[in-house]
Amino acid sequence: MASIEFVNVTQSFDKNVIIKDLNLKIEDGKFTVLVGPSGCGKTTLLRMIAGLDPQTSGSVLINGKDVTRIPPGQRGVAMVFQNYAIYPTMSVRENIEFGLKNNKVPKDERKRLVESISETVGLAGYLDRKPSTLSGGQRQRIALARAMVKKPSVFLMDEPLSNLDAKLRVQMRIELIEMHKKLGTTFVYVTHDQVEAMSMADTIVLMNQGQIQQEAAPEVIYRQPNNLFAAQFIGVPPMNIAELGIDNVMFGFRPESGVLSTEPLATHFQVPGTIVTREMLGSETIYQVKSEEQAYMIKCTEDRFVVDQEVYLGVEAGNLFFFGADENRIDREDGRFSSYLEALGGRSKVLVMRGQANG
Amino acid sequence: MSFEWKYVRAPLSFLLKAIVLMIFIFPFLWMISTSLQTFQETLTFPPTWIPSIPQWVNFSTAMNAGPFLTYARNSIIVTFSVILIQVLVMIPAAYAFAKYRFAGKEILFSFVLLAFMIPGQVTFIPVYLMLADWGLINSLLPQILPFMANAFGIFLLRQYFMQIPQEIIESARLDNASEFKIIWKIMVPMSMPALATIALFSFVSHWNDYFWPLVMTDSAAVRPLTMGIAMLRETEGISNWHIIMAGNVVLVIPILIVYLFASKQIVKAFVYSGIK
């Protein structure tokens, strides 16, 4: 068990500054997911915790202790890599046992640990097989077992599920959540997949271009995104964003907040448009509605419309977001919020009237 | 057309393979045949292929014509010391070149490539003078010391090491393995095919080496088998080809035996480098 803290950390490779003056505290025992587009520095952070690429300046603290000078093997961390990084010439048992041997764990103890862990991850019958004879999912389990058997205080995972097929990925996601619950250890998980982040995290750390955009629980990030980037990175399809036309302000709403109707609506924001595409996903349908200025993605639980149909798209006032010229979200409590909301309402009326006149 | 090709292609490819095989195997058959002939038979024309009575005595004649036990011992000591030292030097060097970042790495590696490209014929005089200065000429060391670093081996093994994912090494570091352990338990087992290939090439070239010991030795006590066999020619004034060939058969046998055991690994090395 351990908390992790980054204090004024900077990381650069060959004069390329990846991360600059970053501060972050990862709480003890939490499942923290670092998420962001590729190149945002999330893996760099993970590797700094592991000690694989020590930071250029600043300090990394594990349990309040500066670990800058401590080599990777002695930090009490275990890491699972995207490509599993299994030792191919060793049997499953030797793979799991390798770290224990290096830490001089006595033979009987080793045998007991390896056998109990292989039971946990479901590899009991495979201990004497070579990894090359096992499937992708089983190799992933070797990597997990190898990490777990050392009883680390921090688990680091670098996109561990991205090499698995979609079905197995969903299953492993659940297993990882269960594993975290059982072990109660600090998990730091890196992914570019916001679905993985939303489904597994206690806390999401959303990053872009080496900077933390938002650090919050999944539901908070979804309902109160800090800025345009957070609003558009989290959620499928992402939040609809359009220009308000005043002070370079943008407004936005989630695809599921949009209401479609063939008649004009009583919602605060509304715009006439045409359905351009329709994606039927089973329980829900995603429509792309094109208005005069902009296309919007709308997620409906009912499948009532067809392509090329003329519709009205409406959004309730409570589901609208505004983002200032600095791209940060304007809070509901902010004085500007009500005036922007009013402006959008007024614009809606004009648009609907014009639509009716044309129609 | 295509109908006919179908029946021609397979036998044609077989024929071509057979021809290539014959070209390679002919000198060996010729050597073995000659080694079992009498002196008269070696001179007849058309040449004899199957000796009338196999002259096994040629082998003992050859082996008794000089201190062949000493020659064989020298060959074995020199070849195996060279391979052992080369492997010990090559593995850490290749690991550093493949996986470490350090100042001067590019320049140092270009020296390795340079060494790889300069033939022994260019360096043998200064090397001889240096070793003579050190008073080493009457020992086996002149045949071992200059070959401690195998530039070709370092290059090949470095390429092989570079293909091993960095994550495997990092994983081992997180498993608290020392660098020595990473090399010994992970890198070496994973590059066995490459190491076997390099060792075999090295074995063949040093076991068969004639030029270098010719320059570096001046007494029977330090000469290898190749020189002993070359000297069979001079014992009688005229060339006793049947005796020389008997000597050559003895010289070649260890290579064939080693190849028989190593061939599987070598094929693997080439297949691996192809798919990874």
Side-chain angles (χ1 to χ4, degrees):
Chain A
M1 304 256 187
S3 63
I4 300 157
E5 209 175 336
F6 291 89
V7 184
N8 297 326
V9 164
T10 296
Q11 178 70 294
S12 48
F13 297 106
D14 300 327
K15 289 172 195 144
N16 281 331
V17 180
I18 311 287
I19 284 169
K20 197 163 191 279
D21 279 332
L22 180 135
N23 287 287
L24 172 68
K25 192 163 194 291
I26 293 170
E27 276 179 77
D28 180 15
K30 286 280 166 63
F31 199 130
T32 302
V33 176
L34 306 177
V35 67
S38 50
C40 72
K42 53 193 192 295
T43 299
T44 312
L45 279 188
L46 198 74
R47 293 172 63 84
M48 279 194 266
I49 302 174
L52 294 171
D53 297 316
Q55 66 276 12
T56 316
S57 69
S59 43
V60 176
L61 281 67
I62 297 181
N63 249 352
K65 199 172 142 222
D66 191 337
V67 291
T68 307
R69 306 230 159 269
I70 299 177
Q74 287 159 26
R75 291 186 175 198
V77 302
M79 187 154 165
V80 178
F81 293 86
Q82 181 175 354
N83 61 7
Y84 320 141
I86 286 162
Y87 315 126
T89 52
M90 297 186 195
S91 68
V92 175
R93 179 192 300 279
E94 289 167 322
N95 260 283
I96 301 174
E97 211 178 28
F98 190 64
L100 297 178
K101 264 188 181 166
N102 294 331
N103 289 332
K104 310 236 163 19
V105 175
K107 199 174 173 186
D108 298 338
E109 175 78 357
R110 262 182 356 229
K111 194 166 170 341
R112 196 182 59 74
L113 283 170
V114 170
E115 268 156 25
S116 92
I117 218 85
S118 62
E119 203 73 57
T120 314
V121 298
L123 282 172
Y126 302 96
L127 279 178
D128 295 309
R129 299 262 292 265
K130 278 279 161 67
S132 57
T133 64
L134 302 180
S135 69
Q138 287 168 322
R139 288 182 209 185
Q140 177 62 273
R141 282 163 211 274
I142 302 175
L144 284 174
R146 195 172 63 181
M148 282 163 74
V149 79
K150 291 187 288 182
K151 302 206 176 79
S153 51
V154 178
F155 264 98
L156 306 174
M157 304 194 191
D158 188 3
E159 311 215 4
L161 305 185
S162 52
N163 280 5
L164 300 176
D165 62 60
K167 209 168 184 180
L168 197 54
R169 193 151 56 210
V170 175
Q171 185 194 332
M172 287 301 289
R173 220 150 71 189
I174 293 163
E175 284 185 30
L176 283 177
I177 298 171
E178 282 172 355
M179 188 174 131
H180 174 250
K181 207 187 256 170
K182 197 158 66 186
L183 298 174
T185 317
T186 311
F187 273 43
V188 185
Y189 187 105
V190 161
T191 181
H192 64 266
D193 180 356
Q194 58 96 19
V195 177
E196 270 180 27
M198 290 296 282
S199 59
M200 294 195 285
D202 291 324
T203 306
I204 290 178
V205 177
L206 177 63
M207 297 186 64
N208 190 32
Q209 294 179 340
Q211 285 181 330
I212 296 173
Q213 305 293 319
Q214 189 163 8
E215 182 195 344
E219 58 275 13
V220 175
I221 272 202
Y222 192 75
R223 293 188 190 134
Q224 294 151 33
N226 268 0
N227 51 29
L228 268 181
F229 178 81
Q232 290 192 290
F233 192 84
I234 303 284
V236 220
M239 185 183 281
N240 292 298
I241 299 288
E243 280 175 26
L244 180 65
I246 308 165
D247 303 343
N248 287 327
V249 167
M250 313 284 272
F251 72 96
F253 59 91
R254 292 278 174 202
E256 64 274 20
S257 312
V259 186
L260 295 180
S261 165
T262 48
E263 297 299 314
L265 291 150
T267 50
H268 186 80
F269 167 71
Q270 73 173 301
V271 62
T274 315
I275 291 182
V276 188
T277 57
R278 166 179 166 267
E279 296 169 63
M280 169 65 199
L281 301 179
S283 64
E284 55 202 24
T285 308
I286 295 168
Y287 298 102
Q288 189 189 166
V289 179
K290 208 159 198 172
S291 77
E292 215 167 288
E293 306 137 323
Q294 168 114 23
Y296 301 94
M297 301 301 285
I298 307 300
K299 199 192 273 180
C300 297
T301 45
E302 288 177 328
D303 180 21
R304 294 189 294 146
F305 303 95
V306 292
V307 172
D308 287 338
Q309 195 171 353
E310 305 277 332
V311 291
Y312 289 92
L313 159 62
V315 184
E316 295 291 350
N319 290 330
L320 287 164
F321 297 88
F322 291 93
F323 300 91
D326 59 355
E327 300 198 347
N328 285 333
R329 185 170 57 88
I330 297 166
D331 199 76
R332 244 158 232 287
E333 310 298 316
D334 194 303
R336 293 171 294 166
F337 190 91
S338 54
S339 64
Y340 291 140
L341 193 63
E342 214 165 288
L344 186 60
R347 207 179 78 171
S348 297
K349 286 195 186 95
V350 176
L351 284 171
V352 172
M353 278 190 322
R354 206 193 299 161
Q356 281 169 334
N358 291 346
Chain B
M1 268 301 275
S2 64
F3 177 75
E4 282 171 34
W5 262 113
K6 206 164 101 188
Y7 289 93
V8 171
R9 196 174 286 162
L12 195 72
S13 112
F14 178 80
L15 191 73
L16 285 172
K17 283 175 201 156
I19 290 170
V20 171
L21 184 71
M22 279 317 294
I23 291 171
F24 277 93
I25 214 167
F26 175 79
F28 282 93
L29 295 178
W30 187 252
M31 172 181 76
I32 291 164
S33 164
T34 309
S35 74
L36 295 171
Q37 292 171 12
T38 61
F39 180 59
Q40 261 66 38
E41 276 175 316
T42 65
L43 301 177
T44 53
F45 191 86
T48 327
W49 263 110
I50 311 290
S52 48
I53 306 156
Q55 299 295 309
W56 301 104
V57 71
N58 291 348
F59 288 88
S60 60
T61 311
M63 292 303 103
N64 289 326
F68 269 85
L69 267 180
T70 309
Y71 295 151
R73 194 206 62 192
N74 292 341
S75 273
I76 290 168
I77 292 177
V78 166
T79 309
F80 284 94
S81 313
V82 165
I83 293 175
L84 185 73
I85 296 170
Q86 279 184 353
V87 166
L88 291 180
V89 172
M90 182 163 62
I91 292 171
Y95 183 61
F97 280 127
K99 296 292 181 189
Y100 283 176
R101 298 177 65 175
F102 54 89
K105 176 172 157 178
E106 305 302 320
I107 292 178
L108 284 173
F109 191 66
S110 62
F111 280 142
V112 171
L113 292 182
L114 203 67
F116 172 28
M117 285 181 260
I118 294 177
Q121 283 78 353
V122 176
T123 54
F124 78 94
I125 293 174
V127 170
Y128 176 82
L129 291 175
M130 189 170 76
L131 292 168
D133 250 11
W134 295 349
L136 295 177
I137 292 304
N138 258 326
S139 71
L140 293 175
L141 290 174
Q143 295 172 65
I144 299 171
L145 291 181
F147 302 106
M148 291 198 298
N150 177 351
F152 165 70
I154 292 173
F155 172 73
L156 200 75
L157 197 61
R158 167 189 175 264
Q159 300 305 105
Y160 210 84
F161 279 174
M162 281 168 77
Q163 292 175 1
I164 295 178
Q166 187 64 22
E167 287 89 347
I168 290 184
I169 295 167
E170 289 172 347
S171 210
R173 285 196 186 129
L174 281 160
D175 270 343
N176 207 12
S178 61
E179 292 301 289
F180 177 77
K181 211 160 196 173
I182 292 173
I183 293 178
W184 187 241
K185 292 280 187 186
I186 291 165
M187 303 303 273
V188 168
M190 282 184 79
S191 12
M192 241 16 217
L195 278 169
T197 310
I198 296 165
L200 184 85
F201 282 168
S202 193
F203 173 79
V204 172
S205 76
H206 288 281
W207 184 263
N208 285 343
D209 196 9
Y210 176 70
F211 171 76
W212 198 266
L214 182 67
V215 179
M216 297 294 163
T217 60
D218 61 4
S219 75
V222 292
R223 278 180 182 143
L225 268 179
T226 42
M227 290 193 68
I229 286 154
M231 281 190 288
L232 289 174
R233 219 162 78 186
E234 291 151 25
T235 46
E236 311 261 333
I238 43 167
S239 293
N240 292 312
W241 288 114
H242 55 308
I243 307 292
I244 298 169
M245 288 305 157
N248 274 331
V249 170
V250 172
L251 183 70
V252 162
I253 282 170
I255 295 178
L256 293 180
I257 292 171
V258 168
Y259 188 77
L260 218 61
F261 285 108
S263 64
K264 222 177 179 176
Q265 290 286 324
I266 291 160
V267 171
K268 238 190 198 167
F270 288 108
V271 171
Y272 267 176
S273 55
I275 53 174
K276 278 204 175 157

